[in-house]
Every structure is written in C-alpha cells, then in structure tokens.
Amino acid sequence: MLYTAGGLLCALALATGASGAGTGSPGVSPTEIVIGGTVPMTGFAQAFKTVGLGASYYFKYVNAHGGVNHRKIKYILKDDAYDPAQTMSKTRELVEQDHVFAIFNSLGTEHNLATRPYLNAIGVPQLFVASGGTTFGKDYKQYKWTIGYQPNYRAEGTIYGRYVAKTAPKSRVGVLYQNDDYGKDLLAGLSHGLGKKAKLVVSKQSYNPDDSDVQSQIAKLKAAKANTLMIFATPTFALQAYRFSYKLGWKPKVYVNVVSSASNIMKVSVLASTKKQVEGSISMVFVKDPTDPRWAKDRGIKLYRSIMKRYKDKGISASDPYNVYGMSAAHTFVQALKQAGKNPTRESIVKAAAHLTIRNDPFLLPGVVVRTTPNDHFPLDQARLERWHNGRWVSFGGLFRVR
C-alpha cells in the first residue's frame, strides 16, 4: 500500500480525530476505550469468527467487573469475509471513522500484512495479531506498532519436521499448503525441522484460498506414494483433505496445523470421512480445549463456561476452542492495558505489550507463559504435541519452546 504525502497527512489527521480530544489519544475517554478488529463473520472462513467473538465475551466480563481503571472496553468487530482487500477497507473505517485506540486480534496472515504498513505509518497499534506469521514477531524493528500472539507457523512446521525425522525417518511426506505466507511459513519450518532428511518430502501441492476444492491436490499426493500427509490449510480445505483422502482409499499418517485442529473441526472431519481416517492425527496445542474432560474442574475452563453462559451469542457453541483462544488474547490485552497506565496512550500500550510476563492466563495450558521483551515479540512460544484418539485430542510429551 502506497501513500502520497498529502494522503498520509490526511490519514494522520483522521487517526487523531475528535474522539480523542482532551484525552491525549484517540479512542480514549474518561469512561471508555474503543478498540477494533476484523474477522471473517461470513464466507468460507467463517469458522474463525469465534476468535473475535470469544474476545468480545471476555471484554464484556471485564466490563461487568469494573473495566480497566474505571474504563469500559468497547470492541468493534467488522466482517472482512477473509478478503485482504476488505480487511484494508474495514481497518481504515475503524481508524478513520470509529477512531479506535488500537487494532486488536484481527485475523489472517495476508490480511494483517495488508494493513500493517498503513497502521505503522500513522502510529496505530496493531496488537496481538491472530496469525502465526513469523514476520509479526521477527520484524518488530521495522514495524514497531505491530505484535503477534500465537506460536509462529515456521516454528510449528519445524516441530512437525523434527518429530517425523525422529520417529519415522523412512516416511514419504506429502504436503498440502495454502499458497501464501501462512502456508509457505509452515512449509519452510517443515523443511528446517527435517534437516538432512528434507528429501522425505516427495510432493508439495498448493491451493489458493479462493479455490473451490483440493481434490486434485490430494490425488497427486496419493499418486506420489506419500504415506504421511501434512495439512497446512484452513478448516474448509482441511476437511476436504480428510474427505478426499477417504474417497481415494488413501489413509496416510496426518499432521494438521493448529489453524485447523480445533476439536469441533476434527469432529466434522470424522463426519466428512470416517473415525478411522482421522484417528491418530497429530497437531500442536497451547490453549485448553473446553471439550477435554481433563479440564472439567479446571478454574480457567469454569470461568470460560460461566462467561459463555452469560454473554455468548445465540448459535455460538461453548465447545468451540476458538472462543478460548479469543479470550486468551483478550486477557493479554487487558493485562497490557493495565500496564499502560491510568491514562493510556498508543505509545504506552505498545510499550506495555513489549514488556509482558503473564503466568496466570486461565485459558492457556498449565506452564505456558505470555512473555515479551523489546527484543522478543513472540508472546506465546510454548506448546505440546497432541494426538487425536477416540474422538478427542490427547496431548503427549512435555511443554517445548516453539522457536
């Protein structure tokens, strides 16, 4: 995105509009802080909408308990239908019309890449990006107003590669990946993790987010005689990967990236194929799964369920782990806001977001710490591996650093 000098000055003027008059920062009044973000509420990626909705429910809970420094958090969510062009236009609306204090939890790698130059040019915080794009933590010197949240995709791919190299060194690996920075990050990580065994990858098949299906890609992976399938895809295409594999009579060992491994998505995958087709799939986890019986009496999941019971929208399932992710991101924003001072500015919230140590996030796995420093903009870098068994995820091994 390019800006003329006049256009940038206009954007700067709009970004510091009347809503911030007398407070020192747009979106901040004596009683309220206004933030905003984009998620796909409609379209093929609408399964991700609960990343935003879960955060909104947590903010309602915080507001009901006094807010932060006596200010309520107003969170404006806009639907971008998972289209980067719409992400850009909706983000401009949030900044220039709604005069938000910060952009928070917007979802998608290409989508946040589209808005990052604009937000950094005018000094609007782009906080806790809902993407594992490695760039959102790595390139903080160039984009000081941006910070990621979840473990990065390159590191996730590396973990899978190392596990394959260690446990199944004679595998024939096929990869289905989205043809953008998200999929390529995972693919690069896989190659890095395999190291000297990178030749185990016998076929790589890409798809575009607007493709209708991945049937031909799955057929090519099967034809390459792969016995291990890496699904580096969003939920719609991950479901198709299971279904088309089943229809072709192909049952590889499956690794499915975190983006598409939520338990509710996996249960649909079973319906789309068979229990046997999905059994044994491997992924990575860092948030608590509300469907996992081990957390039935857990303090964090009890809080989660009470928030969902009180605030969730009609038709939204409390069994959806994306809600839990959203609440975790919102919990982190609240902690950063507290650290930003009684009269927060955009500068102070960004500084706070880069000086976090949160050990008590009720929605993350035990032992996972939200930690940032001025030289470390990867808030979450711990996770566990998990295996799908008898209709639910079972984690195995200990916590590891996702780097």
Side-chain angles (χ1 to χ4, degrees):
M1 184 66 66
L2 299 175
Y3 298 95
T4 64
L8 181 56
L9 287 171
C10 180
L12 281 164
L14 287 165
T16 56
S19 67
T23 68
S25 208
V28 180
S29 75
T31 60
E32 188 176 65
I33 288 182
V34 183
I35 62 175
T38 58
V39 293
M41 304 293 287
T42 58
F44 65 90
Q46 63 182 289
F48 291 134
K49 67 184 177 184
T50 47
V51 166
L53 293 176
S56 74
Y57 305 149
Y58 185 75
F59 288 140
K60 289 178 181 179
Y61 163 78
V62 170
N63 290 342
H65 289 78
V68 178
N69 290 322
H70 307 293
R71 291 186 180 91
K72 303 293 178 68
I73 298 171
K74 181 179 179 181
Y75 180 33
I76 303 173
L77 273 175
K78 299 209 173 189
D79 178 18
D80 65 2
Y82 206 64
D83 176 358
Q86 290 197 50
T87 308
M88 187 68 227
S89 64
K90 299 296 184 181
T91 299
R92 289 184 70 104
E93 287 177 11
L94 288 165
V95 172
E96 299 171 12
Q97 298 176 27
D98 299 307
H99 305 292
V100 296
F101 174 60
I103 297 297
F104 162 76
N105 195 37
S106 286
L107 187 138
T109 302
E110 299 301 313
H111 315 76
N112 281 287
L113 287 174
T115 61
R116 183 171 64 173
Y118 164 70
L119 294 171
N120 277 262
I122 61 175
V124 176
Q126 185 182 23
L127 297 178
F128 310 127
V129 166
S131 162
T134 309
T135 181
F136 299 120
K138 178 172 66 77
D139 297 325
Y140 62 89
K141 289 182 180 179
Q142 182 178 359
Y143 300 106
K144 70 176 185 177
W145 297 92
T146 300
I147 189 165
Y149 193 61
Q150 70 193 71
N152 73 83
Y153 296 139
R154 184 181 176 92
E156 182 182 357
T158 299
I159 294 300
Y160 300 145
R162 287 176 179 168
Y163 188 75
V164 170
K166 180 180 179 180
T167 63
K170 295 183 179 180
S171 298
R172 292 178 60 85
V173 180
V175 186
L176 174 71
Y177 70 99
Q178 188 159 296
N179 189 25
D180 60 12
D181 288 272
Y182 148 60
K184 292 174 183 177
D185 242 6
L186 282 157
L187 186 60
L190 175 67
S191 179
H192 178 71
L194 288 170
K196 294 180 180 179
K197 297 185 181 296
K199 290 183 179 179
L200 293 179
V201 177
V202 296
S203 181
K204 294 175 283 188
Q205 299 295 322
S206 67
Y207 72 91
N208 296 316
D210 58 354
D211 286 349
S212 59
D213 63 62
V214 292
Q215 185 169 2
S216 64
Q217 289 91 331
I218 294 298
K220 290 175 183 177
L221 292 170
K222 179 180 184 292
K225 298 182 179 179
N227 59 17
T228 301
L229 171 62
M230 296 285 169
I231 301 178
F232 297 159
T234 52
T236 295
F237 298 104
L239 291 171
Q240 290 183 11
Y242 280 112
R243 185 171 78 247
F244 291 132
S245 296
Y246 169 69
K247 287 186 174 181
L248 290 170
W250 179 42
K251 192 184 182 305
K253 177 72 175 182
V254 175
Y255 291 73
V256 56
N257 70 139
V258 165
V259 164
S260 297
S261 68
S263 53
N264 55 323
I265 300 297
M266 297 300 290
K267 289 174 181 177
V268 177
S269 296
V270 171
L271 296 175
S273 55
T274 63
K275 177 181 177 180
K276 185 177 180 181
Q277 193 74 25
V278 181
E279 180 73 13
S281 296
I282 288 176
S283 190
M284 194 180 79
V285 61
F286 53 93
V287 299
K288 294 170 183 171
D289 184 342
T291 69
D292 191 332
R294 90 186 70 181
W295 307 121
K297 297 182 179 180
D298 177 78
R299 177 182 63 87
I301 291 301
K302 283 184 176 180
L303 173 62
Y304 165 78
R305 293 197 179 282
S306 69
I307 293 172
M308 292 296 286
K309 183 177 181 180
R310 173 68 178 84
Y311 298 111
K312 80 176 183 69
D313 295 297
K314 185 177 180 181
I316 299 301
S317 172
S319 297
D320 185 347
Y322 293 140
N323 285 304
V324 184
Y325 173 90
M327 288 194 192
S328 177
H331 180 272
T332 298
F333 178 83
V334 168
Q335 299 308 306
L337 189 56
K338 289 177 179 178
Q339 289 183 207
K342 290 186 177 180
N343 293 297
T345 64
R346 285 172 167 171
E347 291 79 6
S348 72
I349 189 68
V350 169
K351 182 178 180 180
H355 290 80
L356 293 174
T357 300
I358 304 171
R359 302 181 185 276
N360 64 341
D361 187 315
F363 310 112
L364 297 176
L365 293 180
V368 175
V369 179
V370 181
R371 182 185 288 110
T372 58
T373 72
N375 299 315
D376 182 353
H377 281 213
F378 293 102
L380 292 176
D381 65 358
Q382 295 167 286
R384 297 182 71 180
L385 286 172
E386 59 181 358
R387 182 179 289 106
W388 187 258
H389 178 61
N390 286 338
R392 67 181 183 90
W393 286 113
V394 179
S395 58
F396 62 94
L399 279 177
F400 50 77
R401 294 291 295 275
V402 185
R403 285 285 180 178

